[in-house]
Amino acid sequence: MIRVYLEVYGCQMNEDDASRLTTILEQGGCMLAESPELADVVLLHTCSVREKPEQRVYAFANRMQWLKRKNPGLVLGIGGCVAKQEGRALLERFWGIDFLFDSYSLHKIPELLRAVRESSSHVAMNTMLMDQPEDFDESLFPCNNKTHGPTAFLTIMQGCDHKCSFCIVPHVRGPEVSRSSRAILMHARRLVGQGVRELVLLGQNVNRYGKHTQDITFPELLRELDRIPGLERIRFTTSNPTDADDSLVECFASLRTVCPHLHLPVQSGSDRILGLMRRGYTRKDYLAIVERLRQARPDIALTTDLIVGFPTETDEDFQSTLRLVEEVGFDSSFSFKYSKRPLTEAEKMEGQVSKEVKEERLAILQDVTQRIAQKSLLKAIGSSQEVLVEKPSKMSKEEVMGRTLHNKAVVFFGNQSLVGKIVPVLIIEALRHTLRGQLDG
Ligand code: SAH
Ligand code: F3S
């Protein structure tokens, strides 16, 4: 058995990659190790969308090189965005890195590791397992017989054909690639058979699913998934507002399983900044989509991503963002300080905003978004909500945690046997980010 230590930083898509990689490794004759010291192989999988993970990768690679001095047979592989972004330069900079991989080549790792094991002396391999396929290789989505929790991620596409000027994703994940709908539906049925009741469909821009493969469209895919007996809830992320058309809006009105919750990143409320970001919509367009969604599903919960301090952002632009946030009344939002990412158009723009101004704007924005989010939590008090129970609560053994249809976390007194069930919960209190309730009836 090859012992592999896997470390992961990053986004939901990386988490999904990592959990599939675990299965691929296990099925490929490897077992997971608890620490790098107990491993024959160390893999690091990262995401570089916002933070500066380069530094973390370099620090990690340095630590592993030290370990390799003691254990020269140790094999080190780095995957994900940083590997893709830096390419050969990363292999040249660190003698200790043996190979790089990306999310399209996870299934090739066990074979590579077996080849190293079979060659008697370990030499730095200098291998790049990197592909830009037209199509997903279904070996990337291995079956496993493990029982699942009640909710599971399901990757349906990757990459992005948009070129938002701040975003590194198209540069590191490449253009859009969709899985076949047949494979997705089989995978979904399998997960439901293993106890999954809620699917979270993943892709950088799920609304463009199937565009390149002449497969069914995203709303059609939702319709097919909706027919799976035993599947109760579907969520998906992420949707670019330009691709959220009426056929998507209609799904919120008509499909049994589609939850009344949409993450619809707006980024800014200023048309000038939206233009520079190359988002492809105006503030007015965004508000019109929100209105259509609310007509289709009046209780829909909307969440968003916001960036402050994009190059040239003035106080006035920032005020427009604040006004938009108030106007829409997001149920929750993620706000970020703009950061320069390599390979992107905005990296070279004039008028970069100072760190102090970005910090100040972020603090103001977060105050406002937190107040609005709190309002939406308070509104739930006194209502009965259908809660899908996910797991025991972190705080107490007598409590469990679940989510409402609107994706709000709820804790309540309850037995662990409730995990996986959908139960009515009366909401009695709003905490900072979660609700507290009690079993209803
Ligand atoms: N569609 C993608 C979006 C990826 S990035 C997805 O799969 O989720 C997620 C969020 O990070 C973006 O919506 C944006 O708000 C933020 N972000 C991306 N690049 C950024 C940058 N350079 N600086 C600050 N925030 C950024
Ligand atoms: Fe990034 Fe814009 Fe695509 S944010 S992932 S380039 S839609």
Side-chain angles (χ1 to χ4, degrees), residues 253-290:
S254 62
L255 297 184
R256 170 185 70 89
T257 52
V258 171
C259 291
H261 161 228
L262 179 63
H263 185 64
L264 197 61
V266 65
Q267 316 295 0
S268 169
S270 150
D271 282 342
R272 196 182 65 81
I273 296 293
L274 287 171
L276 287 173
M277 286 177 164
R278 304 210 185 287
R279 291 289 288 175
Y281 55 85
T282 61
R283 170 195 183 95
K284 200 163 144 221
D285 298 334
Y286 187 88
L287 290 171
I289 299 166
V290 168

Tab-separated table of all heavy atoms in Angstrom, residues 253-290:
chain	number	residue	atom	x	y	z
A	253	ALA	N	-39.947	28.358	-10.027
A	253	ALA	CA	-41.398	28.332	-9.837
A	253	ALA	C	-41.938	26.919	-9.969
A	253	ALA	O	-42.873	26.540	-9.277
A	253	ALA	CB	-42.052	29.245	-10.876
A	254	SER	N	-41.314	26.126	-10.862
A	254	SER	CA	-42.021	24.897	-11.226
A	254	SER	C	-41.393	23.596	-10.734
A	254	SER	O	-42.044	22.569	-10.766
A	254	SER	CB	-42.177	24.837	-12.745
A	254	SER	OG	-40.891	24.795	-13.324
A	255	LEU	N	-40.155	23.599	-10.301
A	255	LEU	CA	-39.548	22.305	-9.969
A	255	LEU	C	-39.608	22.003	-8.473
A	255	LEU	O	-39.243	22.836	-7.643
A	255	LEU	CB	-38.116	22.217	-10.499
A	255	LEU	CG	-37.986	22.302	-12.025
A	255	LEU	CD1	-36.544	22.095	-12.453
A	255	LEU	CD2	-38.883	21.286	-12.717
A	256	ARG	N	-40.062	20.801	-8.184
A	256	ARG	CA	-40.247	20.315	-6.816
A	256	ARG	C	-38.983	20.452	-5.976
A	256	ARG	O	-39.024	20.851	-4.820
A	256	ARG	CB	-40.656	18.829	-6.937
A	256	ARG	CG	-40.693	18.004	-5.688
A	256	ARG	CD	-40.992	16.535	-6.046
A	256	ARG	NE	-39.884	15.874	-6.737
A	256	ARG	CZ	-38.886	15.219	-6.131
A	256	ARG	NH1	-38.862	15.112	-4.835
A	256	ARG	NH2	-37.919	14.655	-6.838
A	257	THR	N	-37.830	20.095	-6.576
A	257	THR	CA	-36.618	19.955	-5.761
A	257	THR	C	-35.751	21.214	-5.687
A	257	THR	O	-34.866	21.289	-4.840
A	257	THR	CB	-35.736	18.831	-6.339
A	257	THR	OG1	-35.571	19.112	-7.723
A	257	THR	CG2	-36.351	17.475	-6.139
A	258	VAL	N	-35.957	22.154	-6.619
A	258	VAL	CA	-35.054	23.315	-6.643
A	258	VAL	C	-35.359	24.217	-5.446
A	258	VAL	O	-36.466	24.706	-5.284
A	258	VAL	CB	-35.179	24.081	-7.980
A	258	VAL	CG1	-34.419	25.400	-7.930
A	258	VAL	CG2	-34.650	23.220	-9.120
A	259	CYS	N	-34.368	24.396	-4.585
A	259	CYS	CA	-34.581	25.169	-3.355
A	259	CYS	C	-34.758	26.650	-3.673
A	259	CYS	O	-34.128	27.162	-4.605
A	259	CYS	CB	-33.368	25.039	-2.435
A	259	CYS	SG	-33.208	23.407	-1.752
A	260	PRO	N	-35.576	27.350	-2.876
A	260	PRO	CA	-35.745	28.792	-3.085
A	260	PRO	C	-34.539	29.560	-2.547
A	260	PRO	O	-34.620	30.276	-1.563
A	260	PRO	CB	-37.008	29.107	-2.278
A	260	PRO	CG	-37.037	28.063	-1.220
A	260	PRO	CD	-36.406	26.829	-1.791
A	261	HIS	N	-33.410	29.336	-3.195
A	261	HIS	CA	-32.182	29.999	-2.764
A	261	HIS	C	-31.266	30.087	-3.972
A	261	HIS	O	-31.045	29.088	-4.662
A	261	HIS	CB	-31.498	29.178	-1.659
A	261	HIS	CG	-30.053	29.542	-1.485
A	261	HIS	ND1	-29.052	28.605	-1.403
A	261	HIS	CD2	-29.464	30.754	-1.408
A	261	HIS	CE1	-27.890	29.225	-1.277
A	261	HIS	NE2	-28.112	30.520	-1.282
A	262	LEU	N	-30.745	31.275	-4.241
A	262	LEU	CA	-29.812	31.410	-5.363
A	262	LEU	C	-28.648	32.302	-4.964
A	262	LEU	O	-28.831	33.394	-4.430
A	262	LEU	CB	-30.539	32.002	-6.587
A	262	LEU	CG	-29.664	32.210	-7.829
A	262	LEU	CD1	-29.111	30.886	-8.365
A	262	LEU	CD2	-30.435	32.922	-8.938
A	263	HIS	N	-27.444	31.782	-5.252
A	263	HIS	CA	-26.237	32.599	-5.059
A	263	HIS	C	-25.963	33.276	-6.397
A	263	HIS	O	-25.687	32.604	-7.398
A	263	HIS	CB	-25.073	31.692	-4.652
A	263	HIS	CG	-23.845	32.480	-4.314
A	263	HIS	ND1	-23.797	33.350	-3.246
A	263	HIS	CD2	-22.631	32.548	-4.905
A	263	HIS	CE1	-22.603	33.922	-3.195
A	263	HIS	NE2	-21.880	33.458	-4.192
A	264	LEU	N	-26.088	34.588	-6.425
A	264	LEU	CA	-25.991	35.341	-7.674
A	264	LEU	C	-25.000	36.500	-7.473
A	264	LEU	O	-25.395	37.602	-7.094
A	264	LEU	CB	-27.391	35.867	-8.020
A	264	LEU	CG	-27.649	36.332	-9.445
A	264	LEU	CD1	-27.456	35.196	-10.441
A	264	LEU	CD2	-29.057	36.907	-9.598
A	265	PRO	N	-23.708	36.221	-7.712
A	265	PRO	CA	-22.683	37.228	-7.413
A	265	PRO	C	-22.883	38.510	-8.221
A	265	PRO	O	-22.946	38.458	-9.448
A	265	PRO	CB	-21.377	36.544	-7.807
A	265	PRO	CG	-21.678	35.085	-7.756
A	265	PRO	CD	-23.114	34.969	-8.192
A	266	VAL	N	-22.987	39.645	-7.541
A	266	VAL	CA	-23.184	40.927	-8.244
A	266	VAL	C	-21.866	41.686	-8.361
A	266	VAL	O	-21.652	42.423	-9.291
A	266	VAL	CB	-24.288	41.768	-7.563
A	266	VAL	CG1	-23.916	42.193	-6.168
A	266	VAL	CG2	-24.632	42.996	-8.400
A	267	GLN	N	-20.997	41.539	-7.406
A	267	GLN	CA	-19.646	42.145	-7.348
A	267	GLN	C	-19.634	43.637	-7.060
A	267	GLN	O	-18.869	44.097	-6.225
A	267	GLN	CB	-18.805	41.871	-8.614
A	267	GLN	CG	-18.841	40.447	-9.151
A	267	GLN	CD	-18.246	39.403	-8.233
A	267	GLN	OE1	-17.777	39.713	-7.149
A	267	GLN	NE2	-18.299	38.149	-8.622
A	268	SER	N	-20.480	44.422	-7.754
A	268	SER	CA	-20.482	45.868	-7.514
A	268	SER	C	-21.837	46.435	-7.901
A	268	SER	O	-22.554	45.838	-8.707
A	268	SER	CB	-19.394	46.530	-8.363
A	268	SER	OG	-19.550	47.940	-8.346
A	269	GLY	N	-22.159	47.582	-7.317
A	269	GLY	CA	-23.418	48.237	-7.673
A	269	GLY	C	-23.193	49.413	-8.601
A	269	GLY	O	-24.132	50.144	-8.929
A	270	SER	N	-21.957	49.626	-9.032
A	270	SER	CA	-21.653	50.767	-9.907
A	270	SER	C	-21.495	50.280	-11.344
A	270	SER	O	-20.692	49.389	-11.629
A	270	SER	CB	-20.350	51.416	-9.438
A	270	SER	OG	-19.675	52.005	-10.524
A	271	ASP	N	-22.247	50.901	-12.247
A	271	ASP	CA	-22.167	50.489	-13.649
A	271	ASP	C	-20.770	50.688	-14.228
A	271	ASP	O	-20.312	49.906	-15.060
A	271	ASP	CB	-23.182	51.262	-14.497
A	271	ASP	CG	-24.586	50.690	-14.318
A	271	ASP	OD1	-24.697	49.540	-13.845
A	271	ASP	OD2	-25.563	51.395	-14.635
A	272	ARG	N	-20.124	51.762	-13.787
A	272	ARG	CA	-18.779	52.022	-14.311
A	272	ARG	C	-17.830	50.876	-13.911
A	272	ARG	O	-17.096	50.331	-14.740
A	272	ARG	CB	-18.262	53.356	-13.756
A	272	ARG	CG	-17.069	53.911	-14.510
A	272	ARG	CD	-16.596	55.209	-13.875
A	272	ARG	NE	-16.080	54.996	-12.530
A	272	ARG	CZ	-14.851	54.561	-12.259
A	272	ARG	NH1	-14.022	54.306	-13.244
A	272	ARG	NH2	-14.462	54.381	-11.018
A	273	ILE	N	-17.917	50.476	-12.650
A	273	ILE	CA	-17.042	49.386	-12.184
A	273	ILE	C	-17.456	48.051	-12.813
A	273	ILE	O	-16.600	47.269	-13.252
A	273	ILE	CB	-17.063	49.297	-10.634
A	273	ILE	CG1	-16.475	50.565	-10.013
A	273	ILE	CG2	-16.329	48.057	-10.133
A	273	ILE	CD1	-14.987	50.776	-10.262
A	274	LEU	N	-18.756	47.813	-12.921
A	274	LEU	CA	-19.204	46.555	-13.557
A	274	LEU	C	-18.666	46.461	-14.984
A	274	LEU	O	-18.270	45.394	-15.438
A	274	LEU	CB	-20.732	46.463	-13.566
A	274	LEU	CG	-21.381	46.181	-12.212
A	274	LEU	CD1	-22.903	46.329	-12.294
A	274	LEU	CD2	-21.027	44.772	-11.716
A	275	GLY	N	-18.623	47.624	-15.664
A	275	GLY	CA	-18.084	47.663	-17.028
A	275	GLY	C	-16.606	47.301	-17.023
A	275	GLY	O	-16.149	46.459	-17.806
A	276	LEU	N	-15.860	47.932	-16.110
A	276	LEU	CA	-14.414	47.639	-16.046
A	276	LEU	C	-14.155	46.186	-15.636
A	276	LEU	O	-13.160	45.591	-16.025
A	276	LEU	CB	-13.728	48.564	-15.026
A	276	LEU	CG	-13.562	50.026	-15.436
A	276	LEU	CD1	-13.025	50.846	-14.266
A	276	LEU	CD2	-12.626	50.130	-16.633
A	277	MET	N	-15.073	45.652	-14.847
A	277	MET	CA	-14.920	44.246	-14.443
A	277	MET	C	-15.278	43.292	-15.578
A	277	MET	O	-15.048	42.101	-15.477
A	277	MET	CB	-15.854	43.940	-13.258
A	277	MET	CG	-15.423	44.506	-11.932
A	277	MET	SD	-16.702	44.106	-10.700
A	277	MET	CE	-15.794	44.411	-9.175
A	278	ARG	N	-15.896	43.824	-16.640
A	278	ARG	CA	-16.385	43.026	-17.775
A	278	ARG	C	-17.386	41.959	-17.334
A	278	ARG	O	-17.299	40.800	-17.744
A	278	ARG	CB	-15.235	42.339	-18.513
A	278	ARG	CG	-14.186	43.294	-18.982
A	278	ARG	CD	-13.502	42.807	-20.237
A	278	ARG	NE	-12.418	43.704	-20.598
A	278	ARG	CZ	-12.596	44.922	-21.103
A	278	ARG	NH1	-13.816	45.363	-21.337
A	278	ARG	NH2	-11.566	45.690	-21.383
A	279	ARG	N	-18.320	42.383	-16.491
A	279	ARG	CA	-19.301	41.417	-16.006
A	279	ARG	C	-20.422	41.180	-17.020
A	279	ARG	O	-21.139	40.190	-16.941
A	279	ARG	CB	-19.894	41.894	-14.669
A	279	ARG	CG	-18.893	41.846	-13.532
A	279	ARG	CD	-18.593	40.423	-13.135
A	279	ARG	NE	-19.697	39.798	-12.438
A	279	ARG	CZ	-19.698	38.517	-12.076
A	279	ARG	NH1	-18.676	37.737	-12.365
A	279	ARG	NH2	-20.716	38.011	-11.426
A	280	GLY	N	-20.639	42.139	-17.912
A	280	GLY	CA	-21.645	41.893	-18.958
A	280	GLY	C	-23.071	42.236	-18.551
A	280	GLY	O	-24.016	41.848	-19.231
A	281	TYR	N	-23.263	42.894	-17.404
A	281	TYR	CA	-24.603	43.346	-17.025
A	281	TYR	C	-24.467	44.674	-16.292
A	281	TYR	O	-23.372	45.023	-15.841
A	281	TYR	CB	-25.326	42.332	-16.119
A	281	TYR	CG	-24.552	41.972	-14.875
A	281	TYR	CD1	-24.618	42.751	-13.717
A	281	TYR	CD2	-23.713	40.865	-14.862
A	281	TYR	CE1	-23.873	42.425	-12.589
A	281	TYR	CE2	-22.974	40.529	-13.745
A	281	TYR	CZ	-23.058	41.316	-12.607
A	281	TYR	OH	-22.312	41.000	-11.507
A	282	THR	N	-25.575	45.405	-16.230
A	282	THR	CA	-25.593	46.651	-15.471
A	282	THR	C	-26.358	46.408	-14.172
A	282	THR	O	-27.002	45.380	-14.007
A	282	THR	CB	-26.334	47.757	-16.250
A	282	THR	OG1	-27.688	47.300	-16.441
A	282	THR	CG2	-25.688	48.033	-17.591
A	283	ARG	N	-26.324	47.427	-13.326
A	283	ARG	CA	-27.081	47.375	-12.082
A	283	ARG	C	-28.571	47.135	-12.377
A	283	ARG	O	-29.232	46.343	-11.712
A	283	ARG	CB	-26.833	48.729	-11.406
A	283	ARG	CG	-27.652	49.033	-10.231
A	283	ARG	CD	-27.520	50.529	-9.936
A	283	ARG	NE	-28.276	50.796	-8.739
A	283	ARG	CZ	-27.759	50.833	-7.529
A	283	ARG	NH1	-26.471	50.670	-7.352
A	283	ARG	NH2	-28.519	51.040	-6.492
A	284	LYS	N	-29.047	47.831	-13.423
A	284	LYS	CA	-30.465	47.709	-13.778
A	284	LYS	C	-30.786	46.272	-14.229
A	284	LYS	O	-31.812	45.714	-13.847
A	284	LYS	CB	-30.769	48.710	-14.904
A	284	LYS	CG	-32.213	49.024	-15.038
A	284	LYS	CD	-32.411	50.298	-15.842
A	284	LYS	CE	-33.672	50.109	-16.680
A	284	LYS	NZ	-33.538	50.633	-18.030
A	285	ASP	N	-29.896	45.704	-15.039
A	285	ASP	CA	-30.115	44.315	-15.478
A	285	ASP	C	-30.189	43.396	-14.261
A	285	ASP	O	-31.028	42.494	-14.195
A	285	ASP	CB	-28.948	43.801	-16.344
A	285	ASP	CG	-28.760	44.592	-17.619
A	285	ASP	OD1	-29.737	45.189	-18.097
A	285	ASP	OD2	-27.611	44.629	-18.131
A	286	TYR	N	-29.282	43.622	-13.319
A	286	TYR	CA	-29.237	42.741	-12.143
A	286	TYR	C	-30.547	42.850	-11.363
A	286	TYR	O	-31.152	41.841	-10.993
A	286	TYR	CB	-28.041	43.112	-11.251
A	286	TYR	CG	-27.845	42.125	-10.109
A	286	TYR	CD1	-27.075	40.979	-10.280
A	286	TYR	CD2	-28.452	42.329	-8.874
A	286	TYR	CE1	-26.908	40.060	-9.252
A	286	TYR	CE2	-28.298	41.411	-7.837
A	286	TYR	CZ	-27.519	40.280	-8.034
A	286	TYR	OH	-27.367	39.373	-7.015
A	287	LEU	N	-30.985	44.091	-11.154
A	287	LEU	CA	-32.226	44.284	-10.391
A	287	LEU	C	-33.424	43.666	-11.119
A	287	LEU	O	-34.336	43.141	-10.488
A	287	LEU	CB	-32.447	45.778	-10.122
A	287	LEU	CG	-31.457	46.386	-9.121
A	287	LEU	CD1	-31.592	47.905	-9.073
A	287	LEU	CD2	-31.646	45.791	-7.717
A	288	ALA	N	-33.362	43.703	-12.459
A	288	ALA	CA	-34.474	43.109	-13.222
A	288	ALA	C	-34.500	41.584	-13.019
A	288	ALA	O	-35.573	40.990	-12.888
A	288	ALA	CB	-34.324	43.456	-14.702
A	289	ILE	N	-33.326	40.968	-12.957
A	289	ILE	CA	-33.297	39.505	-12.723
A	289	ILE	C	-33.844	39.204	-11.331
A	289	ILE	O	-34.622	38.266	-11.138
A	289	ILE	CB	-31.862	38.942	-12.843
A	289	ILE	CG1	-31.323	39.181	-14.242
A	289	ILE	CG2	-31.839	37.450	-12.536
A	289	ILE	CD1	-29.831	38.978	-14.369
A	290	VAL	N	-33.439	40.024	-10.361
A	290	VAL	CA	-33.922	39.817	-8.990
A	290	VAL	C	-35.447	39.900	-8.968
A	290	VAL	O	-36.122	39.081	-8.350
A	290	VAL	CB	-33.293	40.860	-8.030
A	290	VAL	CG1	-33.985	40.866	-6.684
A	290	VAL	CG2	-31.798	40.580	-7.874
